[in-house]
Amino acid sequence: MVATTENNVATAQVTKGRSPWADARRRFFRNKAAVFGLLLLVIVTLFALFGGFLAQWSNEELDYNVMGQVAELGGPSIASGHYFGTDDLGRDLFARTVQGTQISLAVGVVGALIAIVVGTLYGATAGYVGGRVDGIMMRLVDILMAIPYMFVLILLLVMYGRSITMLFVGVGLISWMDMSRIVRGQTLSLKGREYVEAARATGVSAPVIILRHIVPNLAGVIIVYATLLVPLMILTESFISFLGLGVQEPLTSLGALIAEGAGTISYGTVWQLAFPLLFFVLTLFGFFFVGDGLRDALDPKDR
Amino acid sequence: MSTLLSVRDLRVTFPITRAGDMPWTAPRPLRAVNGVSFDLEPGQTLGVVGESGCGKSTMARGLINMVPATGQVLWEGKTDLIPLSPRAMKPYRAQIQMIFQDPLASLNPRMTVGRIIAEPLLTHRPDLSAEDRRKRVDAMMERVGLLPQMINRYPHEFSGGQCQRIGIARALVVEPKLLICDEPVSALDVSIQAQVVDLLKELQRDLGLAMIFIAHDLSVVKNISHDVMVLYLGRVMEKAPRRTLYADPQHPYTQALLSAVPVPDPVIERAKGIIPLDGDMPSPMAPPSGCVFRTRCPRAQADCAQIVPSVQGGDHVVACLHPGPVQEAETV
């Protein structure tokens, strides 16, 4: 063995390893539903980011030509520049859908990010340290979870006014708790592994073990759960907006648009509901498909 | 040279709370390691054998403060490791490294081999530049028989034997004085076992390593050890230089273990007497009174239940009230 080593050293180059991530990526792209979901997400994101450049109208402008006759004149048409029609006040629904998609995605992604950062560190610390610290940290989560969050969120929005920041704060406050529980459970099983023991035996400090050995091995679970958390956050925001407590006009979100569209559906303006709902559903489908695909791709049992 | 490691009366006790116990019920002690003493000279190997659950691995973990232990673990005749805080223990962790039973499980699946082997360097030699670290990792990989161009590969791309080599490289990259091998070959094929044991012997000779070699296979231990210690229920049953222990075992437990080692010659194997041991090892939560081995001992007598045999002695320690060579009546 040693002899062959010496012979090969001069000629052979350093070979690149096949990392578990590369394996997972390959499996993910073999999954048709997951790729379809990813495609949906890309389209929705592009729409949210660049749709504004296609719009003929801004989201605040009123089209006085259609005002009062929205059902007759405000329908979707290329000619008038209202690709998705107008809302009840004559505002361009295309521009408003772009804007609403932006807000909804932002709420979802920010909520999930807070969950990832706070939930992972909190859960991994509780799980790794264990014992009394774990008990106290997880009981705190239990207590927070026992509080009906929707009630708290509504109170927050009523007391401090409706604003996007408040919405982010509210969503962030609730999103990390489930994550921390999942991460803690996984950490408990990881910390008994021999490679963690090897790191402990060689004197690596606890924070470094958590960041270097525990978290990377949790990444699969975290990513999967995060992709499923984003639609949940979007749904929460939509519900809040549906109740009329979400973002402030002229800003809007998909939930608020759907609420408006649902309110005016009896006047014969179906498009006011249909387009926001379409994007809402596409986004949710996209995230769920991608989340599903990631779960299959990252499942270590499949290796 | 002075003694590298001097262990006196090492004990590891776990408090066990059973499910359904009331919170105020005092937890019952599980004595996993119960008064183990030995000395280890630099460059020597101590083989530790015993059945599953006899406290071999726990003893190793107790030595390096991985589980709470009591007693005295004197390092180089100066420092007692047991009362040290994690911070004070850190410099000694560089000098005492460990390799593990399951080669693949002891390597982080998300790290490349290069990063795995470099980790102890990163911890104990933060002064090294990335280039120096890389050089040492390369040299160490070559030393244990791995191709240095595999440095960016991941553990799942290696065979069991190669993974164990990676584990050995990781342990030796910080140039320790003592290597604790926790059943390093039990999970490997017999042919690979020999390779790994030979590698360890070679490294020991070149680097002057002391080793504590834990195994449940007496033939592997015979190959590598200078001294052999037999554990049963967390206690030392017999400890002797290798030749003495294999040629002239005095403790009935050692004799039973030795008689169970298969001989690769059918004639001798058939003619050889076997000392059968009935039943299982008693629970360490409720060990037998007196001599802990008496429940399965072919030589047990009334006094074995009363008197705990002392483990005092010189080179050849036997914890038995009725030591002696194998008697004809005991074998089958």
Side-chain angles (χ1 to χ4, degrees), chain A residues 1 5 12-13 15 17-20 194-195 197 201-202 212-213 217, chain B residues 61 93 97 102 105 108-110 119 124 145 149 152-154 156-157:
Chain A
M1 190 84 188
T5 307
Q13 294 174 328
T15 49
R18 202 163 44 90
S19 85
E194 278 190 334
Y195 59 82
E197 204 184 340
T202 199
R212 196 185 287 161
H213 295 286
N217 285 289
Chain B
R61 281 159 180 70
R93 294 207 184 277
Q97 287 282 318
D102 187 336
N108 185 340
R110 304 257 177 222
E119 181 167 45
H124 293 289
Q149 66 258 33
N152 285 335
R153 292 192 172 237
Y154 288 85
H156 69 263
E157 299 174 274

PDB file of all heavy atoms in Angstrom, chain A residues 1 5 12-13 15 17-20 194-195 197 201-202 212-213 217, chain B residues 61 93 97 102 105 108-110 119 124 145 149 152-154 156-157:
ATOM      1  N   MET A   1       0.839  -1.208   0.000  1.00  0.00           N
ATOM      2  CA  MET A   1       0.000   0.000   0.000  1.00  0.00           C
ATOM      3  C   MET A   1       0.866   1.247   0.000  1.00  0.00           C
ATOM      4  O   MET A   1       0.691   2.153  -0.791  1.00  0.00           O
ATOM      5  CB  MET A   1      -0.888  -0.022   1.244  1.00  0.00           C
ATOM      6  CG  MET A   1      -1.965   1.021   1.251  1.00  0.00           C
ATOM      7  SD  MET A   1      -3.438   0.484   0.347  1.00  0.00           S
ATOM      8  CE  MET A   1      -4.378   1.987   0.327  1.00  0.00           C
ATOM      9  N   THR A   5       1.475   4.056  -3.037  1.00  0.00           N
ATOM     10  CA  THR A   5       1.252   5.463  -2.740  1.00  0.00           C
ATOM     11  C   THR A   5       2.342   6.309  -3.363  1.00  0.00           C
ATOM     12  O   THR A   5       2.076   7.266  -4.064  1.00  0.00           O
ATOM     13  CB  THR A   5       1.258   5.672  -1.226  1.00  0.00           C
ATOM     14  OG1 THR A   5       0.341   4.776  -0.661  1.00  0.00           O
ATOM     15  CG2 THR A   5       0.878   7.085  -0.885  1.00  0.00           C
ATOM     16  N   ALA A  12      -0.696  11.281 -10.171  1.00  0.00           N
ATOM     17  CA  ALA A  12      -2.130  11.500  -9.958  1.00  0.00           C
ATOM     18  C   ALA A  12      -2.404  12.914  -9.432  1.00  0.00           C
ATOM     19  O   ALA A  12      -1.624  13.483  -8.685  1.00  0.00           O
ATOM     20  CB  ALA A  12      -2.667  10.475  -8.977  1.00  0.00           C
ATOM     21  N   GLN A  13      -3.522  13.447  -9.849  1.00  0.00           N
ATOM     22  CA  GLN A  13      -3.946  14.736  -9.297  1.00  0.00           C
ATOM     23  C   GLN A  13      -4.853  14.480  -8.112  1.00  0.00           C
ATOM     24  O   GLN A  13      -5.295  13.369  -7.870  1.00  0.00           O
ATOM     25  CB  GLN A  13      -4.739  15.501 -10.349  1.00  0.00           C
ATOM     26  CG  GLN A  13      -3.911  15.896 -11.544  1.00  0.00           C
ATOM     27  CD  GLN A  13      -4.806  16.509 -12.594  1.00  0.00           C
ATOM     28  OE1 GLN A  13      -5.967  16.142 -12.720  1.00  0.00           O
ATOM     29  NE2 GLN A  13      -4.262  17.457 -13.313  1.00  0.00           N
ATOM     30  N   THR A  15      -8.065  14.075  -6.500  1.00  0.00           N
ATOM     31  CA  THR A  15      -9.395  13.811  -7.032  1.00  0.00           C
ATOM     32  C   THR A  15     -10.428  14.543  -6.211  1.00  0.00           C
ATOM     33  O   THR A  15     -10.281  14.716  -5.004  1.00  0.00           O
ATOM     34  CB  THR A  15      -9.703  12.308  -6.993  1.00  0.00           C
ATOM     35  OG1 THR A  15      -9.382  11.842  -5.698  1.00  0.00           O
ATOM     36  CG2 THR A  15      -8.919  11.566  -8.036  1.00  0.00           C
ATOM     37  N   GLY A  17     -13.906  14.836  -4.398  1.00  0.00           N
ATOM     38  CA  GLY A  17     -14.814  13.895  -3.769  1.00  0.00           C
ATOM     39  C   GLY A  17     -16.239  14.120  -4.224  1.00  0.00           C
ATOM     40  O   GLY A  17     -16.603  15.194  -4.677  1.00  0.00           O
ATOM     41  N   ARG A  18     -17.012  13.065  -4.116  1.00  0.00           N
ATOM     42  CA  ARG A  18     -18.442  13.173  -4.424  1.00  0.00           C
ATOM     43  C   ARG A  18     -19.139  13.479  -3.102  1.00  0.00           C
ATOM     44  O   ARG A  18     -19.331  12.617  -2.289  1.00  0.00           O
ATOM     45  CB  ARG A  18     -18.919  11.831  -4.979  1.00  0.00           C
ATOM     46  CG  ARG A  18     -20.158  11.869  -5.814  1.00  0.00           C
ATOM     47  CD  ARG A  18     -20.242  10.571  -6.616  1.00  0.00           C
ATOM     48  NE  ARG A  18     -19.920   9.426  -5.793  1.00  0.00           N
ATOM     49  CZ  ARG A  18     -20.823   8.739  -5.086  1.00  0.00           C
ATOM     50  NH1 ARG A  18     -22.079   9.077  -5.115  1.00  0.00           N
ATOM     51  NH2 ARG A  18     -20.455   7.702  -4.372  1.00  0.00           N
ATOM     52  N   SER A  19     -19.463  14.748  -2.896  1.00  0.00           N
ATOM     53  CA  SER A  19     -19.984  15.121  -1.584  1.00  0.00           C
ATOM     54  C   SER A  19     -21.431  14.673  -1.464  1.00  0.00           C
ATOM     55  O   SER A  19     -22.117  14.474  -2.464  1.00  0.00           O
ATOM     56  CB  SER A  19     -19.892  16.632  -1.394  1.00  0.00           C
ATOM     57  OG  SER A  19     -21.014  17.252  -1.964  1.00  0.00           O
ATOM     58  N   PRO A  20     -21.903  14.488  -0.231  1.00  0.00           N
ATOM     59  CA  PRO A  20     -23.305  14.126  -0.033  1.00  0.00           C
ATOM     60  C   PRO A  20     -24.241  15.155  -0.669  1.00  0.00           C
ATOM     61  O   PRO A  20     -25.333  14.825  -1.107  1.00  0.00           O
ATOM     62  CB  PRO A  20     -23.454  14.122   1.484  1.00  0.00           C
ATOM     63  CG  PRO A  20     -22.080  13.924   2.005  1.00  0.00           C
ATOM     64  CD  PRO A  20     -21.165  14.578   1.017  1.00  0.00           C
ATOM     65  N   GLU A 194     -20.458   8.607  16.895  1.00  0.00           N
ATOM     66  CA  GLU A 194     -19.038   8.491  17.243  1.00  0.00           C
ATOM     67  C   GLU A 194     -18.209   9.671  16.760  1.00  0.00           C
ATOM     68  O   GLU A 194     -17.223  10.024  17.377  1.00  0.00           O
ATOM     69  CB  GLU A 194     -18.477   7.177  16.703  1.00  0.00           C
ATOM     70  CG  GLU A 194     -18.793   6.007  17.626  1.00  0.00           C
ATOM     71  CD  GLU A 194     -18.061   4.745  17.238  1.00  0.00           C
ATOM     72  OE1 GLU A 194     -17.711   4.599  16.062  1.00  0.00           O
ATOM     73  OE2 GLU A 194     -17.864   3.893  18.114  1.00  0.00           O
ATOM     74  N   TYR A 195     -18.624  10.295  15.639  1.00  0.00           N
ATOM     75  CA  TYR A 195     -17.785  11.404  15.178  1.00  0.00           C
ATOM     76  C   TYR A 195     -17.906  12.611  16.103  1.00  0.00           C
ATOM     77  O   TYR A 195     -16.961  13.382  16.239  1.00  0.00           O
ATOM     78  CB  TYR A 195     -18.053  11.782  13.714  1.00  0.00           C
ATOM     79  CG  TYR A 195     -19.444  12.210  13.358  1.00  0.00           C
ATOM     80  CD1 TYR A 195     -19.865  13.505  13.589  1.00  0.00           C
ATOM     81  CD2 TYR A 195     -20.331  11.330  12.760  1.00  0.00           C
ATOM     82  CE1 TYR A 195     -21.138  13.899  13.238  1.00  0.00           C
ATOM     83  CE2 TYR A 195     -21.607  11.714  12.414  1.00  0.00           C
ATOM     84  CZ  TYR A 195     -22.008  13.007  12.654  1.00  0.00           C
ATOM     85  OH  TYR A 195     -23.266  13.387  12.320  1.00  0.00           O
ATOM     86  N   GLU A 197     -18.361  12.207  19.323  1.00  0.00           N
ATOM     87  CA  GLU A 197     -17.549  11.756  20.442  1.00  0.00           C
ATOM     88  C   GLU A 197     -16.067  11.945  20.135  1.00  0.00           C
ATOM     89  O   GLU A 197     -15.279  12.373  20.985  1.00  0.00           O
ATOM     90  CB  GLU A 197     -17.844  10.285  20.707  1.00  0.00           C
ATOM     91  CG  GLU A 197     -17.541   9.878  22.110  1.00  0.00           C
ATOM     92  CD  GLU A 197     -17.745   8.395  22.309  1.00  0.00           C
ATOM     93  OE1 GLU A 197     -18.461   7.767  21.508  1.00  0.00           O
ATOM     94  OE2 GLU A 197     -17.177   7.879  23.260  1.00  0.00           O
ATOM     95  N   ALA A 201     -13.501  14.027  22.254  1.00  0.00           N
ATOM     96  CA  ALA A 201     -12.299  13.411  22.820  1.00  0.00           C
ATOM     97  C   ALA A 201     -11.055  14.192  22.451  1.00  0.00           C
ATOM     98  O   ALA A 201     -10.086  14.217  23.199  1.00  0.00           O
ATOM     99  CB  ALA A 201     -12.163  11.969  22.333  1.00  0.00           C
ATOM    100  N   THR A 202     -11.085  14.850  21.298  1.00  0.00           N
ATOM    101  CA  THR A 202      -9.901  15.581  20.888  1.00  0.00           C
ATOM    102  C   THR A 202      -9.912  17.019  21.408  1.00  0.00           C
ATOM    103  O   THR A 202      -8.981  17.781  21.173  1.00  0.00           O
ATOM    104  CB  THR A 202      -9.740  15.525  19.354  1.00  0.00           C
ATOM    105  OG1 THR A 202      -8.403  15.849  19.037  1.00  0.00           O
ATOM    106  CG2 THR A 202     -10.648  16.478  18.651  1.00  0.00           C
ATOM    107  N   ARG A 212     -19.846  22.840  13.614  1.00  0.00           N
ATOM    108  CA  ARG A 212     -19.074  22.094  12.631  1.00  0.00           C
ATOM    109  C   ARG A 212     -19.609  20.685  12.409  1.00  0.00           C
ATOM    110  O   ARG A 212     -19.519  20.154  11.307  1.00  0.00           O
ATOM    111  CB  ARG A 212     -17.616  22.020  13.077  1.00  0.00           C
ATOM    112  CG  ARG A 212     -16.657  21.608  11.965  1.00  0.00           C
ATOM    113  CD  ARG A 212     -15.249  21.440  12.492  1.00  0.00           C
ATOM    114  NE  ARG A 212     -14.610  22.700  12.800  1.00  0.00           N
ATOM    115  CZ  ARG A 212     -13.546  22.800  13.593  1.00  0.00           C
ATOM    116  NH1 ARG A 212     -13.038  21.721  14.154  1.00  0.00           N
ATOM    117  NH2 ARG A 212     -12.998  23.964  13.846  1.00  0.00           N
ATOM    118  N   HIS A 213     -20.146  20.081  13.465  1.00  0.00           N
ATOM    119  CA  HIS A 213     -20.553  18.682  13.323  1.00  0.00           C
ATOM    120  C   HIS A 213     -22.057  18.475  13.370  1.00  0.00           C
ATOM    121  O   HIS A 213     -22.586  17.613  12.680  1.00  0.00           O
ATOM    122  CB  HIS A 213     -19.888  17.832  14.404  1.00  0.00           C
ATOM    123  CG  HIS A 213     -18.399  17.769  14.273  1.00  0.00           C
ATOM    124  ND1 HIS A 213     -17.777  17.027  13.307  1.00  0.00           N
ATOM    125  CD2 HIS A 213     -17.421  18.379  14.962  1.00  0.00           C
ATOM    126  CE1 HIS A 213     -16.470  17.173  13.420  1.00  0.00           C
ATOM    127  NE2 HIS A 213     -16.230  17.997  14.417  1.00  0.00           N
ATOM    128  N   ASN A 217     -24.969  18.360   9.644  1.00  0.00           N
ATOM    129  CA  ASN A 217     -25.680  17.096   9.511  1.00  0.00           C
ATOM    130  C   ASN A 217     -27.175  17.242   9.730  1.00  0.00           C
ATOM    131  O   ASN A 217     -27.942  16.326   9.478  1.00  0.00           O
ATOM    132  CB  ASN A 217     -25.093  16.052  10.458  1.00  0.00           C
ATOM    133  CG  ASN A 217     -23.773  15.533   9.942  1.00  0.00           C
ATOM    134  OD1 ASN A 217     -23.731  14.810   8.964  1.00  0.00           O
ATOM    135  ND2 ASN A 217     -22.684  15.959  10.563  1.00  0.00           N
TER     136      ASN A 217
ATOM    137  N   ARG B  61     -13.146   5.841  28.418  1.00  0.00           N
ATOM    138  CA  ARG B  61     -13.749   7.168  28.437  1.00  0.00           C
ATOM    139  C   ARG B  61     -13.556   7.855  29.777  1.00  0.00           C
ATOM    140  O   ARG B  61     -13.428   9.081  29.852  1.00  0.00           O
ATOM    141  CB  ARG B  61     -15.222   7.079  28.068  1.00  0.00           C
ATOM    142  CG  ARG B  61     -15.423   6.944  26.569  1.00  0.00           C
ATOM    143  CD  ARG B  61     -16.775   6.367  26.202  1.00  0.00           C
ATOM    144  NE  ARG B  61     -16.924   6.248  24.771  1.00  0.00           N
ATOM    145  CZ  ARG B  61     -16.266   5.374  24.007  1.00  0.00           C
ATOM    146  NH1 ARG B  61     -15.418   4.534  24.562  1.00  0.00           N
ATOM    147  NH2 ARG B  61     -16.446   5.331  22.704  1.00  0.00           N
ATOM    148  N   ARG B  93      -5.521  16.551  25.987  1.00  0.00           N
ATOM    149  CA  ARG B  93      -6.282  15.859  24.938  1.00  0.00           C
ATOM    150  C   ARG B  93      -5.449  15.712  23.673  1.00  0.00           C
ATOM    151  O   ARG B  93      -5.653  14.785  22.896  1.00  0.00           O
ATOM    152  CB  ARG B  93      -7.577  16.612  24.629  1.00  0.00           C
ATOM    153  CG  ARG B  93      -8.549  16.607  25.792  1.00  0.00           C
ATOM    154  CD  ARG B  93      -9.979  16.744  25.328  1.00  0.00           C
ATOM    155  NE  ARG B  93     -10.907  16.838  26.446  1.00  0.00           N
ATOM    156  CZ  ARG B  93     -11.383  15.802  27.109  1.00  0.00           C
ATOM    157  NH1 ARG B  93     -11.011  14.589  26.764  1.00  0.00           N
ATOM    158  NH2 ARG B  93     -12.215  15.972  28.115  1.00  0.00           N
ATOM    159  N   GLN B  97      -4.981  10.553  22.280  1.00  0.00           N
ATOM    160  CA  GLN B  97      -5.962  10.521  21.213  1.00  0.00           C
ATOM    161  C   GLN B  97      -6.639   9.159  21.205  1.00  0.00           C
ATOM    162  O   GLN B  97      -6.184   8.223  21.850  1.00  0.00           O
ATOM    163  CB  GLN B  97      -5.292  10.800  19.868  1.00  0.00           C
ATOM    164  CG  GLN B  97      -4.878  12.252  19.695  1.00  0.00           C
ATOM    165  CD  GLN B  97      -6.056  13.140  19.352  1.00  0.00           C
ATOM    166  OE1 GLN B  97      -6.916  12.786  18.551  1.00  0.00           O
ATOM    167  NE2 GLN B  97      -6.124  14.304  19.972  1.00  0.00           N
ATOM    168  N   ASP B 102     -16.444   1.825  15.218  1.00  0.00           N
ATOM    169  CA  ASP B 102     -17.096   1.855  13.909  1.00  0.00           C
ATOM    170  C   ASP B 102     -16.384   2.890  13.053  1.00  0.00           C
ATOM    171  O   ASP B 102     -16.532   4.081  13.269  1.00  0.00           O
ATOM    172  CB  ASP B 102     -18.573   2.207  14.077  1.00  0.00           C
ATOM    173  CG  ASP B 102     -19.324   2.082  12.769  1.00  0.00           C
ATOM    174  OD1 ASP B 102     -18.674   2.188  11.715  1.00  0.00           O
ATOM    175  OD2 ASP B 102     -20.549   1.895  12.809  1.00  0.00           O
ATOM    176  N   ALA B 105     -18.748   5.456  11.219  1.00  0.00           N
ATOM    177  CA  ALA B 105     -19.545   6.305  12.103  1.00  0.00           C
ATOM    178  C   ALA B 105     -18.691   7.324  12.843  1.00  0.00           C
ATOM    179  O   ALA B 105     -19.202   8.324  13.320  1.00  0.00           O
ATOM    180  CB  ALA B 105     -20.302   5.446  13.112  1.00  0.00           C
ATOM    181  N   ASN B 108     -17.274  12.330  10.290  1.00  0.00           N
ATOM    182  CA  ASN B 108     -18.407  13.176   9.934  1.00  0.00           C
ATOM    183  C   ASN B 108     -18.693  13.060   8.435  1.00  0.00           C
ATOM    184  O   ASN B 108     -17.847  13.392   7.620  1.00  0.00           O
ATOM    185  CB  ASN B 108     -18.062  14.625  10.307  1.00  0.00           C
ATOM    186  CG  ASN B 108     -19.230  15.557  10.089  1.00  0.00           C
ATOM    187  OD1 ASN B 108     -20.159  15.252   9.354  1.00  0.00           O
ATOM    188  ND2 ASN B 108     -19.186  16.701  10.738  1.00  0.00           N
ATOM    189  N   PRO B 109     -19.915  12.572   8.055  1.00  0.00           N
ATOM    190  CA  PRO B 109     -20.192  12.325   6.641  1.00  0.00           C
ATOM    191  C   PRO B 109     -20.194  13.582   5.778  1.00  0.00           C
ATOM    192  O   PRO B 109     -20.124  13.479   4.558  1.00  0.00           O
ATOM    193  CB  PRO B 109     -21.570  11.676   6.661  1.00  0.00           C
ATOM    194  CG  PRO B 109     -22.163  12.051   7.969  1.00  0.00           C
ATOM    195  CD  PRO B 109     -21.018  12.193   8.921  1.00  0.00           C
ATOM    196  N   ARG B 110     -20.284  14.744   6.401  1.00  0.00           N
ATOM    197  CA  ARG B 110     -20.348  15.977   5.605  1.00  0.00           C
ATOM    198  C   ARG B 110     -18.989  16.663   5.492  1.00  0.00           C
ATOM    199  O   ARG B 110     -18.902  17.799   5.043  1.00  0.00           O
ATOM    200  CB  ARG B 110     -21.340  16.964   6.220  1.00  0.00           C
ATOM    201  CG  ARG B 110     -22.716  16.394   6.402  1.00  0.00           C
ATOM    202  CD  ARG B 110     -23.668  16.878   5.335  1.00  0.00           C
ATOM    203  NE  ARG B 110     -24.959  16.250   5.512  1.00  0.00           N
ATOM    204  CZ  ARG B 110     -25.688  15.785   4.497  1.00  0.00           C
ATOM    205  NH1 ARG B 110     -25.249  15.878   3.272  1.00  0.00           N
ATOM    206  NH2 ARG B 110     -26.857  15.232   4.727  1.00  0.00           N
ATOM    207  N   GLU B 119      -8.773  18.322  11.755  1.00  0.00           N
ATOM    208  CA  GLU B 119      -9.505  18.901  12.883  1.00  0.00           C
ATOM    209  C   GLU B 119      -8.705  18.979  14.189  1.00  0.00           C
ATOM    210  O   GLU B 119      -8.680  20.031  14.825  1.00  0.00           O
ATOM    211  CB  GLU B 119     -10.821  18.168  13.132  1.00  0.00           C
ATOM    212  CG  GLU B 119     -11.574  18.816  14.285  1.00  0.00           C
ATOM    213  CD  GLU B 119     -13.008  18.375  14.399  1.00  0.00           C
ATOM    214  OE1 GLU B 119     -13.254  17.173  14.300  1.00  0.00           O
ATOM    215  OE2 GLU B 119     -13.867  19.241  14.602  1.00  0.00           O
ATOM    216  N   HIS B 124      -5.670  22.121  18.306  1.00  0.00           N
ATOM    217  CA  HIS B 124      -4.533  22.202  19.221  1.00  0.00           C
ATOM    218  C   HIS B 124      -3.366  23.004  18.685  1.00  0.00           C
ATOM    219  O   HIS B 124      -2.501  23.410  19.440  1.00  0.00           O
ATOM    220  CB  HIS B 124      -4.055  20.783  19.563  1.00  0.00           C
ATOM    221  CG  HIS B 124      -5.070  20.021  20.359  1.00  0.00           C
ATOM    222  ND1 HIS B 124      -5.350  20.326  21.665  1.00  0.00           N
ATOM    223  CD2 HIS B 124      -5.886  19.006  20.032  1.00  0.00           C
ATOM    224  CE1 HIS B 124      -6.289  19.516  22.098  1.00  0.00           C
ATOM    225  NE2 HIS B 124      -6.640  18.703  21.131  1.00  0.00           N
ATOM    226  N   GLY B 145      -0.943   4.951   4.875  1.00  0.00           N
ATOM    227  CA  GLY B 145      -1.255   4.164   3.691  1.00  0.00           C
ATOM    228  C   GLY B 145      -2.476   4.636   2.927  1.00  0.00           C
ATOM    229  O   GLY B 145      -3.189   3.831   2.336  1.00  0.00           O
ATOM    230  N   GLN B 149      -3.931  12.161  -2.688  1.00  0.00           N
ATOM    231  CA  GLN B 149      -4.850  12.851  -3.604  1.00  0.00           C
ATOM    232  C   GLN B 149      -6.311  12.567  -3.284  1.00  0.00           C
ATOM    233  O   GLN B 149      -7.199  13.106  -3.906  1.00  0.00           O
ATOM    234  CB  GLN B 149      -4.551  12.496  -5.067  1.00  0.00           C
ATOM    235  CG  GLN B 149      -4.806  11.070  -5.451  1.00  0.00           C
ATOM    236  CD  GLN B 149      -3.479  10.302  -5.503  1.00  0.00           C
ATOM    237  OE1 GLN B 149      -2.567  10.582  -4.748  1.00  0.00           O
ATOM    238  NE2 GLN B 149      -3.376   9.359  -6.407  1.00  0.00           N
ATOM    239  N   ASN B 152      -9.748  15.252  -0.807  1.00  0.00           N
ATOM    240  CA  ASN B 152     -11.040  15.931  -0.918  1.00  0.00           C
ATOM    241  C   ASN B 152     -12.214  14.973  -1.015  1.00  0.00           C
ATOM    242  O   ASN B 152     -13.316  15.372  -1.351  1.00  0.00           O
ATOM    243  CB  ASN B 152     -11.035  16.858  -2.138  1.00  0.00           C
ATOM    244  CG  ASN B 152     -10.227  18.104  -1.868  1.00  0.00           C
ATOM    245  OD1 ASN B 152     -10.078  18.504  -0.716  1.00  0.00           O
ATOM    246  ND2 ASN B 152      -9.680  18.696  -2.910  1.00  0.00           N
ATOM    247  N   ARG B 153     -11.968  13.704  -0.743  1.00  0.00           N
ATOM    248  CA  ARG B 153     -13.076  12.761  -0.806  1.00  0.00           C
ATOM    249  C   ARG B 153     -13.835  12.714   0.518  1.00  0.00           C
ATOM    250  O   ARG B 153     -13.360  13.190   1.524  1.00  0.00           O
ATOM    251  CB  ARG B 153     -12.557  11.377  -1.158  1.00  0.00           C
ATOM    252  CG  ARG B 153     -12.039  11.335  -2.564  1.00  0.00           C
ATOM    253  CD  ARG B 153     -11.798   9.918  -2.983  1.00  0.00           C
ATOM    254  NE  ARG B 153     -11.479   9.890  -4.389  1.00  0.00           N
ATOM    255  CZ  ARG B 153     -12.157   9.189  -5.272  1.00  0.00           C
ATOM    256  NH1 ARG B 153     -13.181   8.457  -4.876  1.00  0.00           N
ATOM    257  NH2 ARG B 153     -11.820   9.197  -6.539  1.00  0.00           N
ATOM    258  N   TYR B 154     -14.994  12.094   0.450  1.00  0.00           N
ATOM    259  CA  TYR B 154     -15.848  12.013   1.641  1.00  0.00           C
ATOM    260  C   TYR B 154     -15.812  10.591   2.200  1.00  0.00           C
ATOM    261  O   TYR B 154     -15.563   9.635   1.468  1.00  0.00           O
ATOM    262  CB  TYR B 154     -17.276  12.420   1.270  1.00  0.00           C
ATOM    263  CG  TYR B 154     -17.371  13.905   1.024  1.00  0.00           C
ATOM    264  CD1 TYR B 154     -17.065  14.432  -0.211  1.00  0.00           C
ATOM    265  CD2 TYR B 154     -17.716  14.775   2.048  1.00  0.00           C
ATOM    266  CE1 TYR B 154     -17.118  15.801  -0.444  1.00  0.00           C
ATOM    267  CE2 TYR B 154     -17.767  16.136   1.839  1.00  0.00           C
ATOM    268  CZ  TYR B 154     -17.468  16.643   0.594  1.00  0.00           C
ATOM    269  OH  TYR B 154     -17.514  17.990   0.390  1.00  0.00           O
ATOM    270  N   HIS B 156     -17.871   8.292   2.911  1.00  0.00           N
ATOM    271  CA  HIS B 156     -18.647   7.179   2.360  1.00  0.00           C
ATOM    272  C   HIS B 156     -18.006   6.603   1.108  1.00  0.00           C
ATOM    273  O   HIS B 156     -18.448   5.570   0.612  1.00  0.00           O
ATOM    274  CB  HIS B 156     -20.091   7.610   2.086  1.00  0.00           C
ATOM    275  CG  HIS B 156     -20.224   8.598   0.961  1.00  0.00           C
ATOM    276  ND1 HIS B 156     -20.308   9.955   1.178  1.00  0.00           N
ATOM    277  CD2 HIS B 156     -20.273   8.429  -0.367  1.00  0.00           C
ATOM    278  CE1 HIS B 156     -20.399  10.568   0.013  1.00  0.00           C
ATOM    279  NE2 HIS B 156     -20.383   9.676  -0.942  1.00  0.00           N
ATOM    280  N   GLU B 157     -16.975   7.279   0.587  1.00  0.00           N
ATOM    281  CA  GLU B 157     -16.312   6.759  -0.610  1.00  0.00           C
ATOM    282  C   GLU B 157     -15.181   5.796  -0.259  1.00  0.00           C
ATOM    283  O   GLU B 157     -14.464   5.352  -1.135  1.00  0.00           O
ATOM    284  CB  GLU B 157     -15.776   7.924  -1.441  1.00  0.00           C
ATOM    285  CG  GLU B 157     -16.874   8.864  -1.905  1.00  0.00           C
ATOM    286  CD  GLU B 157     -16.333  10.095  -2.596  1.00  0.00           C
ATOM    287  OE1 GLU B 157     -15.996  11.075  -1.923  1.00  0.00           O
ATOM    288  OE2 GLU B 157     -16.251  10.069  -3.818  1.00  0.00           O
TER     289      GLU B 157
END
